[in-house]
Amino acid sequence: MPINPKKTDMSKQAPEARVKNFNEVALGYNEAEALKEAARCLQCKKPFCIEGCPVNVNIPAFIKLVGEKKYDEAAKKIKETNSLPAVCGRVCPQEEQCELKCIVGKKNEPVGIGRLERFVADAEMKAGNIEKNAVKLPEKKLAKVVIAGSGPAGLTCAGDLAMLGYDVTIYESLHATGGVLRYGIPQFRLPKEILDIEVDYLRKLGVKIIVNVLVGKTIPVAELFKQGYAAVFIGAGAGLPSFLGVPGENLAGVYSANEYLTRINLMQAYKFPETDTPVRIGGRVAVVGAGNVAMDAARCSLRLGAKEVYIVYRRSEEEMPARKEEIENAVEEGVKLHLLTAPVEVLGDEKTGRVTGLKVIKCSLGEPDASGRRRPVIIPGSEYVMELDTVVSAIGQSPNPLIPQSMPELKTGKWGNIVTNEETGETSVPGVYAGGDIATGAATVIAAMGAGKKAAASMDKYIKAKLGIG
Amino acid sequence: MFKILKKRDVSPSVKLIEIEAPLVANSAKSGQFVVLRLKDGGERIPLTIADKDKKKGTLTIVFQVVGKTTQELSVYKAGDSIKDLLGPLGKATDFGGAKNIVCVAGGVGIAEIYPEVKELQEEGKKVTTIIGARNKSLLFFEEELKAVSSALHITTDDGSSGRKGFVSDVLKDLLTSDKSIDLVVAVGPVIMMKVVSELTKNFNVRTIVSLNPIMLDATGMCGACRVTVGGKTLFGCVDGPSFDGHQVDFGGLMKRLNQFKDEEKNSAEIYKLKCAECR
């Protein structure tokens, strides 16, 4: 039978319905769709897809198990290397990773690996088998370790170290777990109930999670070693947002995407005044930037009642860093793209200090710059004013400054990032490891997970060498 | 959960609570703050640490009842618990080796300046303290501050206690008569800190102000607390809360503080109505 050239479609909520709610947009495969898609996998002898996955999930093996309707076994297979399959199945940019390497993808559309991963994780959840399937770990632990931050890097590092036999404590500074998975990614892309279940899976592996503790402030790292912890992983995540660098960036109504999304996702401002944290959106919103975070901010704005929502981006559609499917979703929902457009000044009301508009200028694309992308060149005299109530700056952030501030001996790079050995996560301080946005600057969830995984492996080696075992 | 061990009214609108938080008490330094959230659905609000007791593992927080959350907190009693509390946050105040310091405070700032006055006194510095309020009933901590200051000056707008007038009047006299004053620390309403900073600029005396911008995570992630200082965008929770008063754009700060004024008022009014029912 010839292979189906197209990926099996996944159903979605219709655009006109979904802009009125925060429910998940993509609905996932049903069993028939999953079986149909699993049949497209060639079961390659040399599977390149595994290389493409930062946490090296044994993709052909789990897809084979799906084909055999052994969904629990498939879930166990994924969880051998990935503790967060329901999260990854939803938010990983598979098209740049495993699916990019898929042999089927050479001539046709690649196998929908991410969609299958999600199907498997959701099936295990729906069957209520997560606890039953969890690996039983020995009571006696090798040593105690601390993970600072419960975002994707920290959760992955914690899961791997728990499986390796360590007594793991995660300290989270916010009042809720998940880091960017909770405060950043909206409910309609990653339902928090799903996140809760995956975080809870780590607790089943024996990981202790303590919120309201900021390592470096509440407890200094040096103090942790005094308390007998053998190693520390720092996954403190994103830090201070970058602003536009134009006049008016501090007017009321200019939010960083971090603030905007944190108000909405973590603090549930969409339920204000039932909840206590407000967010003021108004009728017209411009989001500057074109990554996934920008798409999330734009799509949240529509769901909160904004009439006009614009993406302002100085390059063209081709250079937009967001996942293609998220851009498509945003456009379907009514987000308008102002491409080749750069902000010049945020305009405000003198008296109230509130945003009234954004002065922008048109650009064309010149020669490629250091990033390899074509550089935007301003077209003189092409300024115009967009009338707005809210401006969201979604142009990235620097790594979180607080732990480096508290540890002068920790070597940091140009952007305030913790300098690490990329292969091991080692920092300049023995026993201290780091990974995720704190080390690399803003990147993806799965890249952070990959870093957490590598760090876990080298922490294991370091501790065993110190204890003279293994 | 963080248990409240003690609660007392220090003035009609200012309350004091002592909270069990041993880790925070152990690390806290003067000038730092905590963020707390009373319950699920609650907002995160920053409050300055007014005192700490390492042995008992407790923090003293003094707050002014202004919005919904502080209204709600004001009815908490000893034995009640706060759901979330994170700290100590922000940098400790850097007095830069000053020897003759004037500490100026108004409103709830009177409580917030206490740990700084105490620290300076313990270091053997000369500390003169000036506190002010609209009237006598709004003053508090006079005895506590007197005990740790070389001298304490009091002003009230109506003359019901101390000198009639503003804290800046006393400060001006001090700066005129004592040229060895090498630092002024001001904590209180934005407008007071602005007036003090303008005054000390004329005398060319270094001035530290403690700012209270809107915060959300308060851990260097969201950027809500940005303030313009010397033309640069800095962050209250990472670079502050103390800043050089001569460099702060107070006008911009006030506008950013008013960002959610309508929503805050609305929320507080709904709470008041509901609370009237529940009582």
Side-chain angles (χ1 to χ4, degrees):
Chain A
M1 196 176 72
I3 194 163
N4 186 347
K6 290 231 171 257
K7 244 189 225 183
T8 311
D9 272 335
M10 177 166 59
S11 46
K12 289 197 284 191
Q13 275 198 75
E16 52 281 5
R18 70 187 192 231
V19 290
K20 295 195 183 75
N21 66 56
F22 270 84
N23 300 338
E24 195 167 14
V25 167
L27 300 172
Y29 280 161
N30 60 30
E31 188 177 14
E33 288 161 344
L35 291 171
K36 192 174 157 201
E37 188 60 21
R40 294 182 69 234
C41 175
L42 299 177
Q43 293 294 317
C44 301
K45 286 238 161 57
K46 271 193 190 164
F48 291 112
C49 52
I50 301 181
E51 282 171 27
C53 172
V55 297
N56 305 117
V57 168
N58 190 340
I59 293 162
F62 99 74
I63 295 184
K64 186 161 184 273
L65 290 163
V66 172
E68 293 164 2
K69 300 193 184 179
K70 292 178 182 160
Y71 307 127
D72 272 9
E73 297 307 310
K76 284 190 208 165
K77 183 54 73 183
I78 298 174
K79 284 183 174 171
E80 282 174 9
T81 64
N82 180 358
S83 317
L84 309 169
V87 170
C88 288
R90 286 170 166 82
V91 304
C92 269
Q94 293 99 6
E95 62 281 4
E96 294 168 14
Q97 297 172 344
C98 51
E99 295 181 17
L100 181 70
K101 301 274 176 107
C102 175
I103 299 296
V104 176
K106 295 267 184 242
K107 285 190 178 150
N108 303 301
E109 284 187 8
V111 176
I113 300 169
R115 293 172 182 186
L116 286 170
E117 181 183 31
R118 171 182 169 170
F119 169 78
V120 168
D122 289 3
E124 190 193 26
M125 258 177 220
K126 275 181 210 143
N129 288 347
I130 293 179
E131 184 149 18
K132 192 188 88 188
N133 292 344
V135 191
K136 300 283 170 289
L137 296 165
E139 288 278 319
K140 190 162 163 20
K141 304 294 180 192
L142 294 171
K144 297 195 296 176
V145 293
V146 160
I147 311 289
S150 68
L155 291 174
T156 304
C157 191
D160 279 22
L161 287 168
M163 304 259 270
L164 287 164
Y166 291 90
D167 178 352
V168 183
T169 303
I170 300 182
Y171 285 122
E172 165 60 48
S173 67
L174 290 174
H175 58 262
T177 55
V180 70
L181 303 172
R182 172 106 36 201
Y183 73 72
I185 301 179
Q187 183 76 5
F188 56 82
R189 250 185 354 110
L190 175 63
K192 299 307 159 239
E193 300 74 22
I194 301 276
L195 174 62
D196 288 339
I197 291 171
E198 299 225 309
V199 171
D200 204 46
Y201 169 68
L202 292 183
R203 290 198 183 93
K204 294 196 168 77
L205 294 178
V207 174
K208 287 172 278 234
I209 305 179
I210 301 170
V211 296
N212 295 320
V213 173
L214 177 54
V215 171
K217 286 276 185 187
T218 315
I219 310 178
V221 172
E223 175 65 27
L224 294 171
F225 286 114
K226 273 187 218 154
Q227 291 177 9
Y229 289 95
V232 176
F233 175 78
I234 302 170
L240 297 169
S242 310
F243 286 91
L244 304 173
V246 300
E249 68 178 18
N250 292 343
L251 286 165
V254 181
Y255 300 92
S256 76
N258 278 0
E259 179 187 355
Y260 198 63
L261 291 171
T262 299
R263 285 182 181 276
I264 297 166
N265 300 328
L266 176 70
M267 305 310 292
Q268 301 181 309
Y270 56 90
K271 294 187 194 159
F272 182 86
E274 190 195 314
T275 55
D276 294 340
T277 307
V279 63
R280 201 186 278 196
I281 304 259
R284 296 157 305 181
V285 180
V287 179
V288 182
N292 289 319
V293 172
M295 297 305 136
D296 285 346
R299 296 170 70 193
C300 280
S301 307
L302 285 172
R303 283 163 176 77
L304 285 163
K307 295 282 169 282
E308 296 288 333
V309 179
Y310 311 102
I311 289 282
V312 173
Y313 181 51
R314 59 197 187 133
R315 292 187 166 97
S316 72
E317 187 159 357
E318 204 178 308
E319 290 84 14
M320 288 172 81
R323 295 184 70 185
K324 213 170 156 229
E325 74 176 64
E326 299 306 338
I327 299 170
E328 278 167 14
N329 281 335
V331 171
E332 267 178 23
E333 288 168 12
V335 173
K336 295 191 178 67
L337 307 180
H338 281 229
L339 302 173
L340 293 167
T341 306
V344 176
E345 183 181 358
V346 186
L347 307 171
D349 180 300
E350 240 352 69
K351 220 171 124 227
T352 62
R354 294 201 68 84
V355 169
T356 57
L358 183 66
K359 190 198 252 183
V360 294
I361 190 161
K362 296 299 291 178
C363 302
S364 62
L365 287 181
E367 294 301 309
D369 63 10
S371 73
R373 294 177 300 179
R374 294 178 65 192
R375 197 164 50 89
V377 181
I378 280 164
I379 302 173
S382 66
E383 290 98 338
Y384 65 101
V385 170
M386 302 168 71
E387 285 185 20
L388 299 167
D389 304 296
T390 297
V391 173
V392 180
S393 170
I395 55 169
Q397 61 260 319
S398 53
N400 194 291
L402 294 182
I403 292 183
Q405 245 182 28
S406 77
M407 284 181 80
E409 68 275 30
L410 194 63
K411 210 175 143 203
T412 54
K414 199 160 98 187
W415 308 108
N417 54 302
I418 298 178
V419 175
T420 60
N421 175 332
E422 255 184 64
E423 286 311 306
T424 62
E426 286 167 292
T427 67
S428 60
V429 180
V432 178
Y433 294 75
D437 284 4
I438 189 80
T440 56
T444 59
V445 166
I446 189 73
M449 291 177 64
K453 190 161 205 69
K454 282 180 184 166
S458 50
M459 287 163 84
D460 178 46
K461 253 194 222 157
Y462 167 82
I463 296 170
K464 281 180 178 157
K466 241 184 138 182
L467 299 175
I469 49 173
Chain B
M1 297 294 262
F2 297 82
K3 198 167 162 193
I4 297 177
L5 300 179
K6 213 166 91 182
K7 154 87 189 293
R8 122 176 126 87
D9 296 352
V10 291
S11 86
S13 64
V14 177
K15 318 285 169 187
L16 176 151
I17 49 175
E18 201 178 292
I19 311 173
E20 202 171 56
L23 289 177
V24 186
N26 197 42
S27 311
K29 296 186 185 68
S30 67
Q32 290 188 299
F33 61 94
V34 294
V35 158
L36 52 83
R37 194 179 77 122
L38 300 183
K39 53 174 195 199
D40 283 332
E43 62 183 334
R44 295 168 66 92
I45 60 163
L47 293 171
T48 303
I49 300 169
D51 208 355
K52 63 180 181 199
D53 187 327
K54 274 194 195 191
K55 265 193 212 134
K56 273 167 70 190
T58 58
L59 296 176
T60 302
I61 304 283
V62 179
F63 62 95
Q64 184 151 26
V65 181
V66 277
K68 179 190 169 178
T69 301
T70 46
Q71 275 179 37
E72 212 170 345
L73 183 57
S74 74
V75 297
Y76 276 49
K77 302 175 298 290
D80 291 343
S81 289
I82 291 168
K83 180 120 202 275
D84 301 293
L85 181 145
L86 175 70
L89 301 169
K91 286 183 178 166
T93 314
D94 176 9
F95 301 107
K99 292 188 179 70
N100 184 3
I101 302 111
V102 180
C103 290
V104 188
V108 75
I110 296 172
E112 294 170 354
I113 210 158
Y114 173 74
E116 309 195 317
V117 176
K118 192 166 107 179
E119 184 184 318
L120 287 166
Q121 194 246 9
E122 281 166 3
E123 284 173 5
K125 308 290 167 65
K126 183 181 176 192
V127 200
T128 309
T129 305
I130 311 171
I131 58 173
R134 280 201 313 279
N135 61 57
K136 190 173 189 242
S137 77
L138 300 172
L139 284 168
F140 56 93
F141 267 32
E142 294 103 315
E143 289 309 313
E144 286 89 336
L145 282 165
K146 209 170 179 178
V148 292
S149 308
S150 311
L152 175 71
H153 301 269
I154 296 170
T155 69
T156 46
D157 298 5
D158 64 357
S160 52
S161 179
R163 175 170 160 179
K164 185 175 176 185
F166 302 110
V167 284
S168 48
D169 300 335
V170 177
L171 180 62
K172 193 175 177 185
D173 291 352
L174 291 174
L175 290 168
T176 310
S177 62
D178 182 355
K179 294 295 172 200
S180 71
I181 293 168
D182 51 2
L183 177 69
V184 171
V185 181
V187 185
V190 181
I191 187 72
M192 182 211 91
M193 294 190 284
K194 183 172 185 259
V195 169
V196 165
S197 298
E198 279 163 2
L199 176 68
T200 57
K201 202 168 185 178
N202 291 334
F203 285 88
N204 203 16
V205 175
R206 189 164 89 92
T207 300
I208 299 172
V209 292
S210 179
L211 305 187
N212 56 342
I214 292 176
M215 290 189 186
L216 198 55
D217 67 298
T219 64
M221 186 270 282
C222 85
C225 63
R226 62 196 191 274
V227 285
T228 310
V229 181
K232 275 202 285 194
T233 296
L234 296 180
F235 299 90
C237 72
V238 171
D239 305 301
S242 298
F243 292 98
D244 177 352
H246 297 162
Q247 302 287 325
V248 170
D249 170 9
F250 288 102
L253 173 67
M254 282 189 242
K255 282 174 187 158
R256 284 192 63 79
L257 280 168
N258 284 334
Q259 221 180 145
F260 300 104
K261 213 166 85 187
D262 298 347
E263 287 85 353
E264 284 159 5
K265 210 173 137 200
N266 180 13
S267 179
E269 270 168 18
I270 292 172
Y271 174 75
K272 261 189 209 160
L273 287 172
K274 277 196 188 155
C275 200
E277 279 169 28
C278 70
R279 273 175 195 157

